[in-house]
Amino acid sequence: MVAAKAIALKPQLVLTYKLIKGAVRPSTKIYALPYVDFLSVGNKVPNENDAHRLVTVIADTIKAAADEAGIGYIAAVKTAFAGHEMYSEDPYAPGLTGSGAAHPNAKGYRKIGEVVAEHLKAN
């Protein structure tokens, strides 16, 4: 059910990407980013495998919307936290509770920036 809701967001994403595309110069490069798979590995949270599959559904939906809207997509962001998932020794996301729950911390945002910068330099 949650996956279906994520997939149902595609038309809204396409519209949003097209609105952004229409508001800038035609030569402007626009990129969509997937959700980072920040979830733990090793069954440290309930339903971990289902959560990873949901992150993939969301990423696939964002990519499909980006493709339809004619903008770029930086796939490498999805796996940017490999080895630094929540509950690892050096997590880039603090976990599912408390301040900043389910969002990158400063190291995580820096890593996302590095991945995006590498992509921009290569393209």
Side-chain angles (χ1 to χ4, degrees):
M1 182 184 332
V2 176
K5 287 182 180 182
I7 293 167
L9 292 174
K10 182 184 169 204
Q12 185 176 353
L13 289 171
V14 171
L15 176 62
T16 301
Y17 298 156
K18 286 182 176 181
L19 286 171
I20 294 168
K21 191 175 174 182
V24 298
R25 291 186 200 119
S27 61
T28 302
K29 294 182 180 182
I30 303 167
Y31 296 94
L33 306 180
Y35 272 58
V36 177
D37 193 348
F38 64 90
L39 299 162
S40 64
V41 293
N43 295 314
K44 295 176 185 166
V45 296
N47 303 311
E48 187 175 294
N49 290 331
D50 291 337
H52 286 289
R53 281 192 288 276
L54 180 58
V55 170
T56 297
V57 167
I58 293 168
D60 291 348
T61 301
I62 293 168
K63 181 175 184 338
D67 289 345
E68 187 174 324
I71 66 169
Y73 176 80
I74 305 177
V77 169
K78 182 178 179 258
T79 58
F81 290 10
H84 297 277
E85 298 87 355
M86 63 181 186
Y87 308 120
S88 69
E89 287 188 30
D90 184 23
Y92 288 174
L96 296 175
T97 60
S99 178
H103 288 83
N105 58 25
K107 288 181 181 179
Y109 282 117
R110 185 173 21 247
K111 182 61 178 180
I112 293 168
E114 290 170 2
V115 170
V116 170
E118 287 173 22
H119 180 87
L120 295 176
K121 286 178 188 174
N123 294 286

